[in-house]
Amino acid sequence: MALERTLSIIKPDAVAKNVIGEIYSRFEKAGLKVVASKMKQLSRAEAEGFYAVHRERPFFNALVEFMISGPVMIQVLQGEGAVLKNRDLMGATNPKDAAPGTIRADFADSIDANAVHGSDSLENAAIEVAYFFPATDVYAR
Ligand code: RTP
Ligand code: MG
């Protein structure tokens, strides 16, 4: 496996639940390093741009409204096979389908308020990291 970077977002529901530290701990225990991080209140335009691939989907407006409902915690995770490893830690999109012990099984309330985002491919990871962080703000440690 190769050293990869992926974009992770702790969504407004999980920030409000005060579980940022618990989620970071899961990343670290799985061998993923936080190499960039910031808390941010997304504007509507930022949220729409980030999820632009879903623009035609029926859930798009609800997704954008949810993502701007409060601050999010955005981080770049680095590690061996980071993209898939993070998706495994997250669990299925709908927490009802998420395996026990995954972030979404433990902290998500619904398919809309589902605690975390993670890039779904190496190609999208590079695009998503660059969407939020200039290269100089990502630390290769
Ligand atoms: P994410 O992008 O946030 O990491 O989630 P994901 O890959 O697991 O799921 P994706 O298909 O990319 O969908 C993005 C977000 O849209 C909401 N969604 N709602 N009602 C629905 O059928 C539905 N499908 C997706 C979810 O909040 C999902 O995280
Ligand atoms: Mg997705």
Side-chain angles (χ1 to χ4, degrees), residues 21-122:
E22 290 204 41
I23 294 172
Y24 269 43
S25 177
R26 291 177 185 220
F27 296 151
E28 293 176 349
K29 283 179 182 146
L32 295 175
K33 286 183 176 178
V34 177
V35 294
S37 169
K38 65 182 164 195
M39 185 176 272
K40 197 170 198 295
Q41 170 65 54
L42 299 182
S43 67
R44 184 176 300 273
E46 280 173 325
E48 286 176 350
F50 183 73
Y51 278 119
V53 290
H54 295 312
R55 197 174 289 278
E56 304 305 323
R57 307 284 286 278
F59 58 81
F60 181 71
N61 285 332
L63 174 59
V64 169
E65 286 296 335
F66 172 65
M67 290 300 287
I68 66 173
S69 66
V72 295
M73 192 76 194
I74 312 171
Q75 44 283 328
V76 179
L77 305 176
Q78 178 177 286
E80 292 292 320
V83 173
L84 198 59
K85 190 175 276 185
N86 181 45
R87 294 291 303 194
D88 287 346
L89 292 173
M90 290 164 58
T93 307
N94 189 338
K96 287 183 185 143
D97 303 326
T102 59
I103 293 168
R104 283 169 166 164
D106 290 346
F107 301 121
D109 295 323
S110 68
I111 192 167
D112 299 306
N114 64 358
V116 280
H117 162 84
S119 307
D120 60 8
S121 69
L122 197 52

